[in-house]
Amino acid sequence: MSSFWRDRPVMVTGGTGLLGGWLIRRLVEAGADVVGLIRDWVPQSILLRSGLMDRVKAVRGDITDYRLVERTLGEYEIDTVFHLAAQTIVGVANRNPISTFETNIGGSWTLLEACRRSPKVRQIVLASSDKAYGDHGDATYDERTPLAGRHPYDVSKSCADLIAQAYAKTYGLPVVVTRCGNLYGGGDLNWNRIVPGTIRSVLRGQRPVIRSDGQHVRDYFYVEDGVTAYLLAAERLAADPRVRGEAFNFSNDSPVTVLDLTRRILSAMGSGAEPLIRNEANGEIRYQCLNSKKARRELAWRPRFTLEEGLHASIEWYRNFLAGGAETDRATPRNPEVDLRILSGSLSSL
């Protein structure tokens, strides 16, 4: 990794989540001075289970607590912020929209306003989502596609995305927005998601459950590729002020149906189980496909992991986790020179 992160004060919100744990690990490895804003104590998360917490300055509290966020930014002289804290489960958002709106929307404006009043903050990367686009039929989404969420989770991401753009445009706040496909990988403990849920079912000799009819289409995006995307976005923001206020899609640009993904996992695990299709999903977008050409062109970014490689790494992680073993090392891609090209040297070499 480049020397950009060495000794840099960085705050990560949502550190006990899937992406947060992997991102903090990469930042710690790069020598960053990491502060984690943590609401819930999750012993099985990567952050706690791997021992990373011993190398992170932990601040306990809620992202909607303005005074806490402003104090943290000021007292730790934070330079770069990764805002990942969110309620991320669509079904939970449909059942409990208020808590989702408070965290995803209120938490975002709280964080951005605190950053606006903290002169040391120079880079902010805010996590939006492909769900922020809403439903556009079978169209592929690029960054010019309108943000048109209609269901609670989608609306929360559309709002947070637009608020970030407003702070960049109105106040010149140094923020970029990331819109990723469906992140997956070892460390995701939300078992009602299709990847961890299917893997756990197979390992326990049960039939995997598909809540929908299995024909919903999604981009599935491996978490380590997501980490690289976030780091690269922050580095480019530091080097080029013109990136301020921009949004970037990140995905493999290879959408598959939920049923196809489930069958790929079953095949990779050598299982002959037949998925149980419940067809109970409501308020979920039918077709989502991202176009990541902008990130590939302007950030010189591209994914390192194919879907098969990401699923293999995830299966091994959960196999070890559910057997009670220590955390496994992260996967090694088949083309590691790409990772070295992206994350070594200065941005000017990209």
Side-chain angles (χ1 to χ4, degrees), residues 10 33-38 52-59 72 76:
V10 179
D33 183 7
V34 181
V35 176
L37 179 59
I38 300 165
L52 279 171
M53 182 61 78
D54 295 336
R55 304 175 68 182
V56 171
K57 298 170 182 174
V59 176
T72 302
Y76 291 101

Side-chain angles (χ1 to χ4, degrees), residues 13-335:
T13 72
T16 57
L18 169 62
L19 181 61
W22 286 92
L23 177 61
I24 288 175
R25 175 153 69 179
R26 189 84 70 87
L27 287 167
V28 167
E29 289 172 352
D33 183 7
V34 181
V35 176
L37 179 59
I38 300 165
R39 186 189 68 177
D40 297 334
W41 196 259
V42 185
Q44 293 179 314
S45 67
I46 286 178
L47 182 63
L48 296 174
R49 195 165 164 265
S50 67
L52 279 171
M53 182 61 78
D54 295 336
R55 304 175 68 182
V56 171
K57 298 170 182 174
V59 176
R60 297 294 301 276
D62 196 289
I63 188 60
T64 61
D65 185 339
Y66 176 81
R67 291 185 181 277
L68 175 69
V69 175
E70 186 179 49
R71 178 189 71 79
T72 302
L73 294 171
E75 291 186 2
Y76 291 101
E77 298 184 301
I78 298 298
D79 171 272
T80 303
V81 176
F82 291 97
H83 177 44
L84 313 178
Q87 194 298 105
T88 61
I89 306 300
V90 173
V92 171
N94 289 338
R95 293 190 299 271
N96 303 100
I98 297 302
S99 64
T100 299
F101 292 153
E102 288 176 342
T103 299
N104 297 5
I105 304 174
S108 294
W109 80 51
T110 297
L111 183 279
L112 291 166
E113 179 64 13
C115 287
R116 185 171 77 90
R117 296 177 178 274
S118 301
K120 291 282 188 178
V121 174
R122 299 181 184 277
Q123 292 85 228
I124 307 153
V125 181
L126 182 138
S128 183
S129 167
D130 56 352
K131 308 300 182 294
Y133 289 113
D135 192 346
H136 292 274
D138 59 358
T140 298
Y141 310 160
D142 65 20
E143 289 81 358
R144 297 167 296 181
T145 303
L147 303 183
R150 291 293 180 268
H151 302 294
Y153 180 74
D154 314 337
V155 167
S156 76
K157 302 309 286 187
S158 297
C159 289
D161 196 313
L162 289 167
I163 290 169
Q165 294 180 57
Y167 267 84
K169 182 71 172 179
T170 306
Y171 306 111
L173 199 67
V175 57
V176 294
V177 175
T178 61
R179 300 170 186 161
C180 295
N182 281 31
L183 285 162
Y184 73 94
D188 185 356
L189 302 179
N190 290 305
W191 300 107
N192 61 350
R193 287 187 177 138
I194 195 67
V195 173
T198 299
I199 295 171
R200 185 175 71 168
S201 293
V202 172
L203 292 175
R204 292 186 173 175
Q206 302 168 350
R207 293 176 65 186
V209 174
I210 296 176
R211 293 180 298 106
S212 67
D213 63 0
Q215 299 308 310
H216 287 65
V217 175
R218 295 288 185 269
D219 274 308
Y220 291 93
F221 187 47
Y222 185 57
V223 64
E224 290 198 65
D225 280 330
V227 169
T228 301
Y230 274 72
L231 294 173
L232 189 56
E235 292 189 35
R236 180 51 58 89
L237 179 59
D240 186 358
R242 292 174 298 179
V243 176
R244 184 174 296 178
E246 292 290 312
F248 294 93
N249 289 344
F250 294 101
S251 82
N252 284 51
D253 297 358
S254 301
V256 298
T257 66
V258 172
L259 182 57
D260 183 26
L261 180 74
T262 303
R263 285 176 172 160
R264 292 191 191 202
I265 296 171
L266 292 170
S267 176
M269 299 182 72
S271 172
E274 187 64 25
L276 177 60
I277 300 175
R278 290 184 173 171
N279 197 18
E280 297 173 344
N282 294 307
E284 296 191 21
I285 299 166
R286 188 76 176 174
Y287 181 93
Q288 288 195 293
C289 176
L290 289 174
N291 178 328
S292 64
K293 288 182 180 178
K294 180 180 177 182
R296 296 169 190 251
R297 181 182 67 250
E298 298 185 14
L299 302 181
W301 172 86
R302 57 174 170 165
R304 298 157 47 215
F305 292 84
T306 65
L307 179 59
E308 287 71 23
E309 289 167 342
L311 289 176
H312 173 76
S314 302
I315 290 166
E316 291 308 306
W317 192 96
Y318 287 108
R319 194 187 303 276
N320 185 71
F321 173 78
L322 292 172
E327 187 188 7
T328 58
D329 292 333
R330 64 168 178 265
T332 300
R334 294 176 188 169
N335 53 341

